[in-house]
Amino acid sequence: MQLDDKKAIFGWSMYDWANSAFATTVMAGFFPIFFKQYWSIGVDTTITTARLGFANSAASMIIGLGAPILGAIADKGTSKKKFLFFFAYMGAVMTSCLCMVSQGNWPVAILLYIFATIGFLGGNIFYDALITSVASGKKLDFVSGLGFSLGYLGGGILFAFNVWMVLNAKISGFSDTGKVIKSSFLSVGIWWAVFSIPLFLFVKEPKNTEIKLPVTMVKAGFTQLRKTFQNVRHLKTVFLFLMAYWFYIDGVNTIVYMAIDYGISIGLESRDLIVALLITQFIGFPSALGLVYLGGKIGARYAIFIALAIYLFVSFYGAFVQSKNEFYILAITIGLVQGGIQALSRSYYAKIIPVNKSAEYFGFYNMVGKFAAVIGPAFIGGINLMMRSLGYSSDSASRFGISSVSLFFIIGGILFSLVNEEKGRKELKYLSQDSV
């Protein structure tokens, strides 16, 4: 299998371009606003925040429970691309169906959103795992950063187009803004489906000629998963990293999922929040590669620490935001590190896991990330409800919620300081020798 092939790297990276449209236009952009103002019209913002937080948590929990098993099965049957195809196109179809949900029908909207999010999160397990089929060790940081960078650019371009359509609804030929936003969900589904094609064409997955039958593949997957748990004592560095990642990526994902909702809760205009999201996207495009470049100079470990320090500042600063300009400063700061910390975490992990079990180990990686995403949004929703029950206003409750995210960055940073990459490589070498 040839690594570092330019066409394969391009195909792999384009999937980030494809599915990031869902992350921007739907998850972070229009869905939170439309869910509050159209599908949950007349409902208190505290309730809608809780519903949205619990929906994100439900999707993350479903994927989190199945991720390691799916990964082990995919490794044994060399089916990463098949699983990716299923989840990607399920997500694209469910997203497209949001355009048909009527006003006030929040249960159907939230159900379609959960299934679309499952498609997004589930596909990422196998997309992440395929990086070891595309890039060699020396190229992992760059290729991982390229994927996130293109994701910010692609997601930002479609989102900017959809925002322009919303702001110019009549020029676009729509009778009202609601219909434009509904059409944006359809555009995301089409974009996701079309730009996923290069990955399926250009990325080659190594074949396993020993196992072909689906039943055998499933059995082998469960057997391999059990062996991985038995090997924990030899890969302590991997699981220490996963613990650290569990906490700090929880903070990152929570800010991604709940930022727009938070802005609405503290009284900012929807238009200003959309501009802030666009700022984050287009700053994130060069910044993802920039932080990866910095990691190449000072080490990925130190670059991740810098990103964590910035996120800690964001979680405290966010609680005191009053105006749209202050929110824009927040957006700029997040854009500088959001893609970089995700890219460096993915490539850092890829260096300390067995290459021939990449889907399984990235199943654990994504399981940790998804269970973290269960805690974060639900935690904020719970804080909001608790503070409201104590008599605080919606504004104050939301500010308590965003500042509480700092706990995840503090704990994650402490645990990450205990991770030793060199020790992890030695453990991996020992495990390889022991399994011969």
Side-chain angles (χ1 to χ4, degrees):
M1 181 180 62
Q2 183 180 358
L3 297 177
D4 301 336
D5 177 74
K6 291 182 179 180
K7 188 180 290 186
I9 289 173
F10 166 77
W12 182 86
S13 300
M14 282 301 294
Y15 184 74
D16 226 318
W17 173 288
N19 78 344
S20 289
F22 176 78
T24 52
T25 296
V26 181
M27 292 180 77
F30 289 152
F31 188 85
I33 295 171
F34 213 54
F35 184 69
K36 281 180 177 289
Q37 300 178 355
Y38 184 81
W39 286 315
S40 300
I41 187 169
V43 179
D44 184 86
T45 58
T46 304
I47 302 299
T48 58
T49 295
R51 285 175 179 171
L52 184 60
F54 294 144
N56 282 316
S57 295
S60 297
M61 182 175 291
I62 291 168
I63 286 298
L65 289 171
I69 298 171
L70 289 172
I73 293 171
D75 275 331
K76 280 300 178 183
T78 60
S79 305
K80 299 181 188 73
K81 288 172 65 175
K82 292 178 182 177
F83 277 99
L84 176 55
F85 182 89
F86 170 78
F87 281 107
Y89 285 93
M90 180 183 78
V93 170
M94 293 297 105
T95 303
S96 300
C97 288
L98 284 169
C99 72
M100 297 184 287
V101 182
S102 60
Q103 186 176 23
N105 198 356
W106 72 266
V108 173
I110 209 74
L111 186 64
L112 288 172
Y113 176 74
I114 288 172
F115 276 107
T117 305
I118 288 172
F120 175 76
L121 299 177
N124 281 341
I125 297 171
F126 305 101
Y127 167 62
D128 288 345
L130 283 168
I131 192 173
T132 56
S133 300
V134 171
S136 62
K138 63 181 180 180
K139 284 275 191 178
L140 280 174
D141 287 344
F142 169 75
V143 173
S144 183
L146 178 64
F148 276 108
S149 183
L150 288 177
Y152 277 103
L153 182 60
I157 287 173
L158 183 62
F159 187 46
F161 173 75
N162 284 325
V163 169
W164 182 87
M165 293 279 285
V166 169
L167 297 179
N168 300 275
K170 292 184 178 180
I171 297 176
S172 306
F174 291 91
S175 57
D176 61 71
T177 302
K179 290 182 179 179
V180 186
I181 293 179
K182 283 187 174 183
S183 73
S184 73
F185 296 136
L186 179 61
S187 74
V188 169
I190 294 171
W191 180 283
W192 192 349
V194 170
F195 288 110
S196 295
I197 294 173
L199 183 147
F200 298 112
L201 290 179
F202 301 137
V203 174
K204 305 300 180 184
E205 187 177 0
K207 300 297 181 183
N208 185 344
T209 57
E210 297 178 4
I211 299 174
K212 296 180 179 180
L213 295 176
V215 174
T216 308
M217 185 174 69
V218 172
K219 289 181 179 178
F222 277 99
T223 300
Q224 184 58 57
L225 184 63
R226 187 177 66 251
K227 288 181 179 178
T228 299
F229 276 113
Q230 292 172 348
N231 288 329
V232 169
R233 65 185 185 276
H234 297 309
L235 294 173
K236 294 178 182 178
T237 301
V238 169
F239 289 95
L240 182 58
F241 171 80
L242 288 174
M243 288 178 63
Y245 179 74
W246 177 312
F247 283 98
Y248 74 69
I249 208 63
D250 189 352
V252 173
N253 288 337
T254 300
I255 288 174
V256 171
Y257 293 160
M258 307 301 288
I260 295 294
D261 182 271
Y262 171 66
I264 295 172
S265 298
I266 63 173
L268 299 180
E269 295 293 327
S270 298
R271 180 175 298 193
D272 297 330
L273 297 174
I274 295 300
V275 171
L277 184 55
L278 284 170
I279 290 171
T280 300
Q281 285 300 121
F282 288 107
I283 287 181
F285 163 56
S287 296
L289 284 175
L291 192 60
V292 168
Y293 176 79
L294 178 64
K297 294 294 183 180
I298 66 174
R301 178 184 180 85
Y302 294 108
I304 290 174
F305 275 125
I306 291 172
L308 289 176
I310 292 173
Y311 265 113
L312 188 60
F313 163 77
V314 163
S315 60
F316 285 120
Y317 174 75
F320 298 97
V321 166
Q322 299 289 341
S323 67
K324 67 177 183 180
N325 289 333
E326 291 174 334
F327 201 83
Y328 292 161
I329 293 173
L330 201 66
I332 292 169
T333 307
I334 292 171
L336 290 173
V337 293
Q338 184 171 288
I341 193 172
Q342 292 170 316
L344 288 171
S345 297
R346 180 168 62 189
S347 57
Y348 189 96
Y349 183 69
K351 295 172 185 175
I352 58 174
I353 62 170
V355 173
N356 64 329
K357 300 175 185 176
S358 60
E360 179 187 343
Y361 276 82
F362 268 107
F364 281 104
Y365 179 81
N366 282 277
M367 177 189 72
V368 166
K370 301 318 167 268
F371 275 125
V374 170
I375 298 171
F379 184 68
I380 282 190
I383 289 288
N384 280 6
L385 292 174
M386 182 184 71
M387 299 310 294
R388 287 288 280 155
S389 69
L390 293 174
Y392 288 88
S393 65
S394 295
D395 178 277
S396 297
S398 296
R399 294 179 189 279
F400 274 111
I402 201 68
S403 63
S404 68
V405 178
S406 61
L407 292 173
F408 299 113
F409 296 119
I410 292 170
I411 297 172
I414 292 171
L415 289 173
F416 186 63
S417 69
L418 303 176
V419 176
N420 186 318
E421 185 181 346
E422 189 61 36
K423 182 180 178 182
R425 291 197 184 103
K426 291 179 180 178
E427 290 172 351
L428 187 58
K429 184 178 180 181
Y430 174 81
L431 179 64
S432 300
Q433 294 172 342
D434 191 52
S435 61
V436 174

